Amino acid sequence: QVQLVESGGGLVQAGGSLRLACTASGRTFSQYTMAWFRQAPGKEREFVAGVSRIDGTTSYADSVKGRVTMFRDNAKDTLYLQMNSLKPEDTALYYCAARPGMAVMRSRYNYDAWGQGTQITVSS
């Protein structure tokens, strides 16, 4: 099982930017399709972005499309999420997730490994 550790969260004003990182260990990072999810208080955990292990194809939720870029560095076993033009509604606990399958899936139940999460708080 791969182990995941997120970092990079924090408090930012609306319109600001943050870059999240997810560092993997324990298994070959390149063999996993990766994704970011988020969960706000009282809400379900929702898909944010994902990247396939096969060809690096990315997929984004409509709520973040155009403001977020996800990329992976297999040489560093690290996944990144660059978030720009942040909004108060982006406030949530952000999780990194991994699955051995080829395709990016938008349901949390398709992912086998999870990090502990990193908090993003966007003030208005």
Side-chain angles (χ1 to χ4, degrees), residues 4-117:
L4 305 172
V5 178
E6 301 95 336
S7 61
L11 174 64
V12 64
Q13 289 188 330
S17 298
L18 281 175
R19 177 177 287 188
L20 304 184
C22 171
T23 302
S25 63
R27 291 290 180 94
T28 304
F29 177 68
S30 62
Q31 294 179 350
Y32 288 86
T33 288
M34 303 296 297
W36 289 97
F37 285 75
R38 67 185 181 186
Q39 188 166 16
K43 294 189 176 182
E44 294 290 318
R45 192 171 300 187
E46 64 175 3
F47 173 83
V48 176
V51 58
S52 169
R53 68 176 178 85
I54 297 300
D55 57 6
T57 301
T58 53
S59 177
Y60 297 95
D62 288 343
S63 59
V64 302
K65 198 173 293 183
R67 300 188 295 118
V68 165
T69 302
M70 178 180 187
F71 54 100
R72 64 191 300 165
D73 186 339
N74 288 340
K76 295 184 177 179
D77 292 343
T78 302
L79 178 73
Y80 299 96
L81 187 70
Q82 177 67 42
M83 303 188 72
N84 302 321
S85 302
L86 283 162
K87 304 175 181 180
E89 50 264 45
D90 293 319
T91 295
L93 189 60
Y94 283 72
Y95 295 93
C96 174
R99 65 185 301 268
M102 294 184 290
V104 173
M105 306 298 285
R106 299 196 173 211
S107 169
R108 59 178 291 189
Y109 300 106
N110 293 118
Y111 291 82
D112 305 309
W114 292 85
Q116 82 290 347

